[in-house]
Amino acid sequence: MTNSIDEIADADYIFVTGSNTTEAHPIISLRIRWALKKGAKLVVADPRRIELAEMADYYLPIKPGSNIPLFNAMMHTILNEELWNKEFVESRTENFDELKAAVVNFSPEAVEKYTGVPADTIKEVARAYAKAKNATILYTMGITQHSNGVDNVLSIANLAMLCGQIGKPSSGVNPLRGQNNVQGACDMGSLPNVYSGYQPVADAAVNEKFSKAWGCELSLKPGLTVGEMMDAAHHGDLKGLFILGENPVLSDPDINHVKHSLKNLEFLVVQDIFLTETAELADVVLPGASFAEKDGTFANSERRVQRVRKAIEPVGNARPDWQIIAEIGTLMGYPMNYSCPEEIFAEISALTPSYGGISYARLEQGGIQWPCPNPDHAGTKYLHAGQFTRGLGKFHAVDFTGPAELPDEEYPLVLNTGRRLQHYHTGTMTRRTKGLDALLPEDYLEVNPVDACKLGVEDGQQVKVTSRRGEIVIKVKVTERVQPGNVFTSFHFAETAVNYLTNTARDPVCKIPELKVCAVRVERVS
Amino acid sequence: MSDNLVTLTIDSQQVTVPAGTTVLEAAASIGIDIPTFCHDPELTKPGACRICVVEIEGVRNLPASCVTAVAEGMVVHTEAPTVVETRKTIIDLLLANHPEDCLTCQKSGDCKLSEYAYRYGVRKPSFEGERHDFPIDDSSPVILRDNNKCILCGKCVRVCEEIQGRSILDFAYRGFNTKVTPALDTDFAQSACVSCGSCVAVCPVGALVEKNMVGVVRPWEVKKVKTTCPYCGCGCNFDLNVKDGKVVGVTSNPASEVNGRHLCVKGRFGYDFIHSPKRLTNPLIRKNGELVEATWDEALGYVARKFSEIKENHGSDALASLSSARCTNEENYLMSKLTRAAFGTNNIDHCARL
């Protein structure tokens, strides 16, 4: 997030797209409610009529994968009506002409057929965004999990820069991070192209810095992303894989492909707290510790580094994950000797400029938002004040490419996937929590009444859902939450594992899979 | 004296506070604890329960301190005999219609009614009469609602409306029959409740409690450890409640920067996986196609040997790791170091894209 969570409550215009905030980020959704109480305008653009849509001033029931036409059309209106922030564009950005040329053909009228949103609505929403004092855009995987996910994000950035709605309190571009420490995992360099603090592995100076600090030679060649690892395993190029606290058999697209790839490995090690669907395929399973059993830090969505504190001993003979990882390194001939997580954190701070001023001692007083370059720095509530990380903000020309797989005669419906309030990711923890599993013991496929009628199915009936990659059987819930032609379910349940169906098509730049759109067929099970 | 500051005297102590401050807040600022039931600093102030009344010189009645603004030169007595008498009567009236089951009540030890009854020495109710006999709502898997214990302070009603924006609970019926209940006087299971548990967090008595903690732990038995939630990216903080080396509950920690006392259903009630019998407690090694238990030495030795072999035979890029957005920064950093320094490859990723 470029802003802080509490700043949302002070925004006077909130644009939520591709985020079912009340279910996926309930506490952040409270800030939206508080802003509405103070008179903020809420616009929700989502293929599903989610709970926030009911609270919105404008609900835009966009067609799946039509984000770019929507944003480009908003910018078209803003440019046409001279509503853009000339001072901001002049002083803080570059490439403006390219943006103008890119959106010229995206009039709201022209994109109606892609977005399904009336041109006048797009214009009204665009005008209000441009004129707002503090406008904020909140989004999640509904924007990113597309084969053009990067373009979707660039498009949002274009819109924010065009109107100068970034780099100030309550006003910015705010991806809400979906997992407790997904921000931290990225910050720490659990990515194939960067070390901690986003220092590129291909940069010679960075390479030298880490080679010296870690006392060994390091590769300059960026590595493989998770999807590429599965492909490499499938082809036999990848032989050994160490998976820590992840369950790709349920979370990754095309489960049959994932399973085949993992089985094709010479050696698979899974470290987890439960025997997950992925661990079942492993050669060695190592029992790690839950969050309650170890010390450490998480970084939340607003870049706030906070303490995780050990409350109990690891259960049975389980061990804290950091100890296990360090032991493997040491046994491989690369000594990794640490007495406690605080010692590891001190090393992180020393090597990571954005974490440079953060220490366990300071975190005792409360969380600190990076960048925090030195011990006297208070942390950063919002990013890009005065200037962007790269200096000038660069507009990117973004053209519209539709989803990789569209419905056809054989697979006539669009399947969208996401989360439910009561569960989390592949259910490893929540499905094994009594109260949560009692609240939602099984999943369902959301089907519009129009489609239910065509298919001859009623609430609670079992249907078979088939895509080009696999099939699942699941109960139907007839609801107007989804538009005709679309169906939806979550990826929490092993019994109805939706990723048997999803498409591995990936964004060419960031390699995110298109989990929000694939074509399926739904049939009654007699 | 600044225009915006007001000086008054509370229990013979002078205090200067900003204009608009309530007497209750002014007293709290100098360490004077005035009892409250319906007051909550985050919520609107109905001034309804009257337990916080104080004596103010020159004022004829006893005003509720939670809704009375300070005034210049005000002289306040928070424990004057009339005040104490009034509080005793309020407690007496509440106890007259309250189950006498403090021995087994989940809230025992953390109950405001009990605390004030103790403080003012109200042992037995002096009024006899009809008592409520509401059915207990145990329809929710996570919240237990016993209207017989409810003192109608309305904090659950207000937190649900004002903070959570859901308005699941409200007052129904009139007079003696008044109760707090979901719409149409149904139960939690039939309501649109999302089980966030904010009502549990603000309830001053045992009317709303966490179901899983009933019969398991008393408030004074727990060690509280402040930590960060393991679910979504909001980064809420809460207290893990620990008894005998086990996590037995989650309670709000008001000092949480992101969320204050508020949590969602996962954060507040999603902890008992920690002690699930299905937890992995020993390393497993596949032998003859089956995963069988092994010692740490055996498992780690095997892992290190196999990874080293693959590196030797096929090169570093034949190895890869998937780190975890569930794990800590420290663990992610070590995974990066292990992969890059020990494996010798940049093949590391995690589930950020999923």
Side-chain angles (χ1 to χ4, degrees):
Chain A
M1 291 173 71
T2 67
N3 296 104
S4 294
I5 292 169
D6 63 359
E7 290 174 23
I8 296 169
D10 296 319
D12 61 354
Y13 181 105
I14 302 174
F15 189 105
V16 180
T17 179
S19 160
N20 182 10
T21 324
T22 57
E23 290 197 61
H25 296 87
I27 293 299
I28 292 179
S29 78
L30 300 185
R31 307 287 174 170
I32 301 175
R33 288 180 190 274
W34 302 351
L36 295 183
K37 264 193 181 172
K38 295 189 209 170
K41 288 269 173 288
L42 174 65
V43 178
V44 174
D46 201 293
R48 284 198 305 153
R49 200 177 177 92
I50 52 174
E51 188 182 16
L52 275 186
E54 306 300 332
M55 295 149 56
D57 295 275
Y58 289 95
Y59 167 55
L60 281 47
I62 56 171
K63 291 183 184 170
S66 67
N67 304 292
I68 288 167
L70 173 67
F71 295 127
N72 277 358
M74 284 176 71
M75 288 185 270
H76 185 279
T77 300
I78 289 162
L79 287 165
N80 240 9
E81 301 184 9
E82 293 284 331
L83 297 171
W84 47 289
N85 186 328
K86 283 140 197 122
E87 190 193 330
F88 190 92
V89 169
E90 177 64 30
S91 63
R92 299 275 315 262
T93 70
E94 60 185 359
N95 244 16
F96 180 52
D97 289 338
E98 209 173 293
L99 176 79
K100 278 198 287 192
V103 303
V104 73
N105 291 326
F106 286 84
S107 73
E109 289 78 10
V111 303
E112 253 183 45
K113 63 175 182 287
Y114 301 118
T115 60
V117 181
D120 284 345
T121 306
I122 296 181
K123 286 181 193 170
E124 285 170 36
V125 163
R127 286 176 198 132
Y129 177 79
K131 290 176 184 168
K133 190 161 162 276
N134 295 307
T136 188
I137 302 174
L138 311 180
Y139 68 90
T140 62
M141 295 307 203
I143 284 296
T144 52
Q145 281 176 344
H146 290 279
S147 53
N148 56 356
V150 167
D151 282 347
N152 284 337
V153 174
L154 289 173
S155 203
I156 290 177
N158 285 342
L159 176 63
M161 290 194 297
L162 183 64
C163 300
Q165 297 285 17
I166 188 163
K168 51 183 184 173
S170 303
S171 180
V173 173
N174 293 299
L176 312 179
R177 307 302 311 248
Q179 301 162 64
N180 57 331
N181 199 33
V182 68
Q183 183 66 54
C186 294
D187 296 348
M188 291 302 105
S190 289
L191 292 169
N193 58 337
V194 288
Y195 292 100
S196 62
Y198 308 95
Q199 301 172 80
V201 296
D203 183 307
V206 170
N207 182 278
E208 198 187 326
K209 170 181 168 179
F210 277 87
S211 297
K212 204 173 144 202
W214 290 355
C216 63
E217 267 187 46
L218 295 166
S219 170
L220 282 153
K221 188 178 85 176
L224 303 175
T225 60
V226 50
E228 291 168 328
M229 286 179 199
M230 294 304 162
D231 292 348
H234 188 86
H235 295 125
D237 300 329
L238 189 68
K239 307 285 186 193
L241 180 60
F242 181 20
I243 300 181
L244 169 67
E246 283 207 16
N247 191 11
V249 166
L250 285 191
S251 64
D252 290 25
D254 194 356
I255 291 175
N256 286 320
H257 172 67
V258 174
K259 278 187 178 170
H260 180 268
S261 301
L262 294 178
K263 284 178 184 166
N264 207 31
L265 288 163
E266 190 180 315
F267 191 57
L268 173 64
V269 179
V270 174
Q271 182 169 318
D272 212 310
I273 60 173
F274 289 104
L275 192 67
T276 61
E277 291 72 11
T278 304
E280 284 173 8
L281 303 179
D283 297 290
V284 178
V285 180
L286 302 171
S290 79
F291 80 112
E293 297 150 36
K294 57 193 179 188
D295 283 307
T297 54
F298 291 156
N300 79 348
S301 198
E302 55 174 0
R303 301 162 277 105
R304 184 184 297 276
V305 181
Q306 305 189 99
R307 276 298 313 277
V308 177
R309 292 185 182 85
K310 179 177 170 174
I312 57 168
E313 291 300 321
V315 302
N317 290 319
R319 289 184 182 176
D321 299 81
W322 60 271
Q323 282 181 8
I324 306 170
I325 301 161
E327 182 78 14
I328 292 171
T330 304
L331 288 170
M332 286 182 74
Y334 180 74
M336 294 169 79
N337 300 316
Y338 299 95
S339 60
C340 60
E342 185 170 6
E343 194 182 336
I344 305 168
F345 195 87
E347 186 175 315
I348 294 167
S349 304
L351 289 169
T352 314
S354 53
Y355 276 62
I358 309 178
S359 63
Y360 271 34
R362 283 191 75 188
L363 292 177
E364 280 308 302
Q365 313 308 312
I368 297 173
Q369 290 171 278
W370 65 259
C372 176
N374 61 65
D376 300 320
H377 194 286
T380 307
K381 267 186 83 71
Y382 60 92
L383 300 176
H384 313 309
Q387 68 164 13
F388 290 100
T389 313
R390 71 183 291 275
L392 291 176
K394 185 176 175 184
F395 285 110
H396 287 81
V398 175
D399 205 359
F400 176 44
T401 49
E405 186 179 79
L406 288 169
D408 54 21
E409 260 180 38
E410 203 181 347
Y411 301 99
L413 297 168
V414 172
L415 170 71
N416 181 3
T417 68
R419 291 185 176 186
R420 308 273 184 215
L421 171 70
Q422 297 84 353
H423 288 288
Y424 181 66
H425 248 241
T426 64
T428 304
M429 300 188 294
T430 55
R431 294 295 311 284
R432 294 175 177 91
T433 296
K434 275 183 303 196
L436 299 178
D437 209 42
L439 283 166
L440 189 69
E442 61 178 1
D443 210 349
Y444 49 88
L445 183 77
E446 295 176 13
V447 179
N448 184 276
V450 172
D451 294 317
C453 188
K454 277 191 212 160
L455 296 164
V457 294
E458 288 172 14
D459 243 7
Q461 273 187 337
Q462 299 273 352
V463 289
K464 186 169 83 173
V465 190
T466 314
S467 80
R468 287 183 175 83
R469 293 150 296 276
E471 60 179 54
I472 60 169
V473 173
I474 187 170
K475 269 187 188 168
V476 159
K477 181 170 183 176
V478 179
T479 169
E480 287 180 333
R481 221 164 123 97
V482 288
Q483 299 173 35
N486 297 341
V487 291
F488 175 93
T489 190
S490 82
F491 68 119
H492 304 309
F493 291 77
E495 300 90 328
T496 52
V498 71
N499 283 321
Y500 274 111
L501 308 173
T502 50
N503 194 354
T504 54
R506 293 193 284 265
D507 181 278
V509 181
C510 81
K511 317 291 184 185
I512 197 165
E514 188 151 64
L515 294 172
K516 297 301 183 199
V517 184
C518 79
V520 295
R521 179 173 68 238
V522 176
E523 296 156 291
R524 259 177 82 156
V525 176
S526 47
Chain B
M1 188 196 83
S2 152
D3 286 349
N4 297 322
L5 292 176
V6 170
T7 298
L8 67 160
T9 306
I10 306 178
D11 295 349
S12 308
Q13 289 185 64
Q14 267 211 346
V15 57
T16 302
V17 291
T21 305
T22 64
V23 172
L24 179 75
E25 291 160 347
S29 75
I30 50 171
I32 295 171
D33 176 30
I34 298 175
T36 59
F37 284 128
C38 71
H39 171 79
D40 188 290
E42 266 187 279
L43 306 175
T44 53
K45 301 173 172 60
C49 76
R50 314 310 288 181
I51 196 75
C52 73
V53 291
V54 291
E55 187 178 280
I56 298 175
E57 288 183 15
V59 174
R60 203 151 46 113
N61 59 1
L62 300 177
S65 62
C66 68
V67 289
T68 304
V70 294
E72 187 61 33
M74 194 180 248
V75 180
V76 180
H77 303 285
T78 71
E79 298 281 338
T82 48
V83 168
V84 169
E85 189 55 38
T86 304
R87 287 186 191 151
K88 279 185 171 180
T89 308
I90 291 169
I91 295 164
D92 201 346
L93 286 165
L94 287 171
L95 289 178
N97 186 25
H98 194 85
E100 291 167 357
D101 68 345
C102 299
L103 289 178
T104 54
C105 181
Q106 186 59 25
K107 199 73 176 178
S108 186
D110 188 26
C111 169
K112 286 245 175 178
L113 183 58
S114 162
E115 182 188 331
Y116 299 145
Y118 178 80
R119 177 162 155 184
Y120 293 103
V122 187
R123 189 164 178 273
K124 280 189 101 163
S126 38
F127 307 101
E128 285 302 328
E130 198 183 343
R131 283 168 177 260
H132 289 310
D133 188 19
F134 294 123
I136 290 172
D137 176 8
D138 68 349
S139 65
S140 159
V142 290
I143 301 171
L144 194 66
R145 183 169 68 103
D146 182 354
N147 274 102
N148 300 301
K149 295 179 182 174
C150 176
I151 58 169
L152 302 174
C153 72
K155 281 205 278 200
C156 54
V157 174
R158 279 173 285 142
V159 81
C160 194
E161 184 196 338
E162 296 169 15
I163 303 290
Q164 294 289 337
R166 301 208 169 261
S167 304
I168 300 301
L169 293 170
D170 207 337
F171 292 102
Y173 308 108
R174 313 282 289 176
F176 178 76
N177 295 320
T178 306
K179 69 191 285 199
V180 170
T181 183
L184 307 176
D185 197 6
T186 164
D187 57 22
F188 270 138
Q190 293 179 69
S191 75
C193 173
V194 293
S195 309
C196 72
S198 279
C199 55
V200 174
V202 298
C203 182
V205 294
L208 289 159
V209 296
E210 185 187 338
K211 208 175 190 177
N212 288 338
M213 291 172 86
V214 173
V216 174
V217 63
R218 320 292 311 250
W220 59 84
E221 294 177 312
V222 299
K223 181 182 86 172
K224 292 191 174 190
V225 180
K226 190 183 179 194
T227 195
T228 305
C229 179
Y231 291 110
C232 80
C234 290
C236 299
N237 281 190
F238 51 62
D239 285 337
L240 283 173
N241 288 209
V242 180
K243 178 188 172 187
D244 299 335
K246 285 187 109 178
V247 175
V248 291
V250 161
T251 46
S252 298
N253 184 322
S256 304
E257 287 154 298
V258 173
N259 58 303
R261 290 172 298 176
H262 310 295
L263 292 164
C264 76
V265 61
K266 294 188 286 290
R268 191 180 301 278
F269 302 116
Y271 58 84
D272 64 9
F273 72 88
I274 295 168
H275 298 290
S276 161
K278 293 179 185 155
R279 277 288 298 272
L280 288 167
T281 53
N282 280 300
L284 306 172
I285 296 181
R286 191 172 297 280
K287 290 178 180 166
N288 301 321
E290 296 290 315
L291 284 169
V292 293
E293 287 194 354
T295 65
W296 274 107
D297 282 351
E298 190 185 358
L300 291 175
Y302 180 43
V303 167
R305 201 166 57 246
K306 280 295 291 183
F307 281 150
S308 299
E309 260 175 41
I310 291 170
K311 183 177 167 184
E312 188 80 11
N313 297 336
H314 303 282
S316 289
D317 288 341
L319 290 174
S321 71
L322 286 178
S323 195
S324 176
R326 286 310 93 65
C327 287
T328 63
N329 284 326
E330 291 76 358
E331 287 155 353
N332 276 284
Y333 174 80
L334 288 194
M335 278 297 274
S336 163
K337 193 170 182 179
L338 175 79
T339 308
R340 293 183 157 113
F343 289 6
T345 176
N346 286 312
N347 289 340
I348 177 169
D349 200 3
H350 71 288
C351 48
R353 298 172 183 80
L354 305 169

